[in-house]
Amino acid sequence: MKLLKQGAEAKLFLGKKNEQDVVIKHRIKKSYRIPQIDEKLRKNRTSLEFNLLTAARRAGVMTPTIIDVDEKEYSIIMERINGERIKELFYKLDKKKTSEIS
């Protein structure tokens, strides 16, 4: 697996599953948290993200297809979509255009 990005909450890896390029979003352990609370937060946030992506797709929003969720590993495996991240696209827009979109 190749690390694509790392944020405060998770690491994004590029991998393969059944010959398909996938992105694996793995929520990282926070050593400053009480272990039981950390586990609960990571599990709940992983589950919530899965539910939100599923609801968005049902509502007609184009989202990556979820291939698998591993709540024990606090990971979501989803299809890889080639292109720029939306965050990077927004940075390229001027403020007026960004406010029109949001």
Side-chain angles (χ1 to χ4, degrees), residues 43-61:
K43 182 178 179 181
N44 288 346
R45 289 176 180 170
T46 301
S47 180
L48 177 62
E49 183 172 0
F50 167 75
N51 292 333
L52 289 170
L53 283 168
T54 301
R57 182 170 274 279
R58 286 187 186 137
V61 177

Side-chain angles (χ1 to χ4, degrees), residues 6-12 25-30 32-33 38 41-42 45-46 49 74:
Q6 179 171 349
E9 290 285 321
K11 293 181 180 181
L12 294 177
K25 183 174 184 178
H26 176 72
R27 294 198 180 278
I28 53 181
K29 181 178 182 178
K30 301 290 187 173
Y32 58 83
R33 289 185 190 141
D38 182 66
L41 281 172
R42 289 189 296 149
R45 289 176 180 170
T46 301
E49 183 172 0
Y74 317 103

Side-chain angles (χ1 to χ4, degrees), residues 31-97:
S31 59
Y32 58 83
R33 289 185 190 141
I34 296 169
Q36 296 86 346
I37 293 172
D38 182 66
E39 289 175 20
K40 187 174 183 176
L41 281 172
R42 289 189 296 149
K43 182 178 179 181
N44 288 346
R45 289 176 180 170
T46 301
S47 180
L48 177 62
E49 183 172 0
F50 167 75
N51 292 333
L52 289 170
L53 283 168
T54 301
R57 182 170 274 279
R58 286 187 186 137
V61 177
M62 294 180 68
T63 65
T65 301
I66 303 298
I67 296 167
D68 197 10
V69 176
D70 187 343
E71 288 185 355
K72 290 181 182 176
E73 291 295 322
Y74 317 103
S75 296
I76 298 174
I77 301 171
M78 60 191 97
E79 93 179 289
R80 178 170 191 219
I81 299 173
N82 292 317
E84 290 184 86
R85 294 183 313 152
I86 191 106
K87 177 180 177 180
E88 291 155 354
L89 291 173
F90 274 122
Y91 285 142
K92 292 179 182 179
L93 299 174
D94 61 41
K95 290 187 181 199
K96 183 178 182 215
K97 192 72 165 171

Side-chain angles (χ1 to χ4, degrees), residues 9-21:
E9 290 285 321
K11 293 181 180 181
L12 294 177
F13 295 96
L14 177 61
K16 287 236 184 237
K17 184 156 181 142
N18 302 327
E19 302 300 317
Q20 179 183 3
D21 286 336

